[in-house]
């Protein structure tokens, strides 16, 4: 799984979404993230098809929404997602939230069925807390590949990272720029100035230092490129320590059905 991907949450303008995906892939991105709930799987698929990149070179992920987590609904909604995306399989399929129709045993059994049928190569979970992570590991015959969570310098998720490390589960960070809040953090601005970089690049480089894959949402070519160029930024130990010392918990995504 490439450690930097393009997120598409709230990218609901059809042309903008399609163009962002194509632009990112032709720039060098090879990881694209979407979800049933985003309402843009068709446009994401069109962007992938339009890009001068082979489908098999793209790590494509989508997520099953909380109303579609009963066994049959998982299967049927995933088949519909693949049709919208215009692909035969996804590289990673997530349980979007452990909520509403989520039943660990039934839902994960359906995901195992999708792996067996070749409709997804990997099983993912998203927004799972430590106890739910451990339960999923016990119940998933296919194994849990990744937990996608909100993570950034203002929400560092230490306990959850420790649990996922113990279970050999990758972390994928959504909202890795704290929905723009990282631009107003003095620690990040000072490090950015030191390296002639942006606060976004600093945040993404810090996540990479932690072994975390980031999927920042971006629509303009300038922002897509700025995020991409974070791969060239190497933070030193002092930088990492300064960011680690940011002692806040500023969660930006907190729906009423969240498990915390």
């Amino acid at each position: 799984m490439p450690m930097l991907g393009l997120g598409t949450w709230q990218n609901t303008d059809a042309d903008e979404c399609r163009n962002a995906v194509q632009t990112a892939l032709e720039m060098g991105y090879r990881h694209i993230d979407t979800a049933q709930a985003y309402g843009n799987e068709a446009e994401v698929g069109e962007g992938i098809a339009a890009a001068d990149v082979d489908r098999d070179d793209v790590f494509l992920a989508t997520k099953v929404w909380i109303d579609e987590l009963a066994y049959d609904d998982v299967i049927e909604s995933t088949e519909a997602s693949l049709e919208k995306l215009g692909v035969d399989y996804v590289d990673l399929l997530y349980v979007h939230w452990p909520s509403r129709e989520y039943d660990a045993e039934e839902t994960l059994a359906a995901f195992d069925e999708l792996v067996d049928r070749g409709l997804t190569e990997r099983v993912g979970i998203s927004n799972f807390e430590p106890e739910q992570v451990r339960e999923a590991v016990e119940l998933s015959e296919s194994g849990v590949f990744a937990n996608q969570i909100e993570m950034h310098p203002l929400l560092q998720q230490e306990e959850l990272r420790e649990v996922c490390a113990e279970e050999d589960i990758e972390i994928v960070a959504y909202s890795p720029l704290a929905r723009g809040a990282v631009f107003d953090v003095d620690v990040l601005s000072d490090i950015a100035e030191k390296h002639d970089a942006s606060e976004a690049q600093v945040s993404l480089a810090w996540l990479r230092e932690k072994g975390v894959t980031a999927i920042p949402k971006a629509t303009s070519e300038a922002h897509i490129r700025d995020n991409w160029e974070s791969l060239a930024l190497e933070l030193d130990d002092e930088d990492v320590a300064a960011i680690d010392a940011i002692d806040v918990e500023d969660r930006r995504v907190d729906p009423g059905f969240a498990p915390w």
Side-chain angles (χ1 to χ4, degrees):
M1 177 173 61
M3 290 196 71
L4 181 65
L6 178 74
T8 61
W9 183 41
Q10 295 184 330
N11 193 347
T12 54
D13 180 276
D15 289 339
E16 193 170 64
C17 180
R18 190 182 302 113
N19 292 338
V21 171
Q22 181 179 357
T23 296
L25 289 173
E26 293 183 347
M27 192 177 292
Y29 287 73
R30 291 296 180 268
H31 181 174
I32 304 294
D33 182 272
T34 184
Q36 294 173 354
Y38 299 173
N40 62 12
E41 287 175 315
E43 289 75 23
V44 167
E46 289 166 5
I48 292 171
D52 188 21
V53 176
D54 289 342
R55 158 66 187 104
D56 289 344
D57 292 333
V58 179
F59 189 96
L60 176 60
T62 193
K63 310 176 196 73
V64 180
W65 187 236
I66 58 178
D67 291 333
E68 304 289 352
L69 293 174
Y71 188 98
D72 289 342
D73 293 338
V74 170
I75 304 297
E76 292 172 9
S77 70
T78 300
E79 290 172 340
S81 288
L82 295 180
E83 185 173 350
K84 291 175 185 176
L85 288 162
V87 297
D88 296 326
Y89 70 96
V90 289
D91 298 85
L92 178 57
L93 183 71
Y94 294 97
V95 178
H96 202 154
W97 294 84
S99 183
R100 201 163 300 169
E101 299 303 317
Y102 178 69
D103 174 273
E105 189 169 353
E106 180 179 353
T107 300
L108 292 168
F111 273 66
D112 288 333
E113 171 69 16
L114 292 168
V115 172
D116 290 343
R117 289 177 53 187
L119 301 188
T120 182
E121 293 195 341
R122 300 166 185 83
V123 171
I125 54 180
S126 184
N127 300 297
F128 277 47
E129 292 288 274
E131 289 184 8
Q132 295 161 322
V133 170
R134 294 188 178 101
E135 179 184 47
V137 169
E138 288 181 10
L139 293 174
S140 175
E141 294 181 1
S142 305
V144 177
F145 177 76
N147 188 15
Q148 184 176 132
I149 59 174
E150 181 182 349
M151 182 179 167
H152 43 72
L154 305 179
L155 183 65
Q156 299 194 10
Q157 299 277 25
E158 290 183 22
E159 180 188 1
L160 198 46
R161 282 192 282 134
E162 289 175 4
V163 170
C164 288
E166 290 169 5
E167 301 292 351
D168 196 26
I169 295 172
E170 299 284 343
I171 295 284
V172 176
Y174 70 75
S175 297
L177 309 181
R179 305 187 78 176
V182 298
F183 293 98
D184 299 319
V185 179
D186 290 343
V187 171
L188 301 177
S189 297
D190 290 345
I191 295 170
E193 184 176 0
K194 169 183 169 182
H195 292 281
D196 191 24
S198 67
E199 290 89 347
Q201 291 172 354
V202 170
S203 299
L204 296 173
W206 175 79
L207 287 164
R208 194 172 68 249
E209 287 284 341
K210 300 298 179 183
V212 171
T213 296
I215 50 167
K217 175 213 168 183
T219 54
S220 71
E221 182 176 357
H223 287 156
I224 293 170
R225 185 173 300 281
D226 188 68
N227 294 338
W228 179 248
E229 290 176 351
S230 71
L231 294 172
L233 175 59
E234 294 292 337
L235 301 179
D236 59 35
D237 292 344
E238 182 182 7
D239 300 329
V240 174
I243 298 171
D244 289 350
I246 298 174
D247 187 19
V248 298
E249 188 168 309
D250 185 3
R251 189 183 293 277
R252 293 289 163 139
V253 180
D254 192 17
F257 54 76
W260 41 79

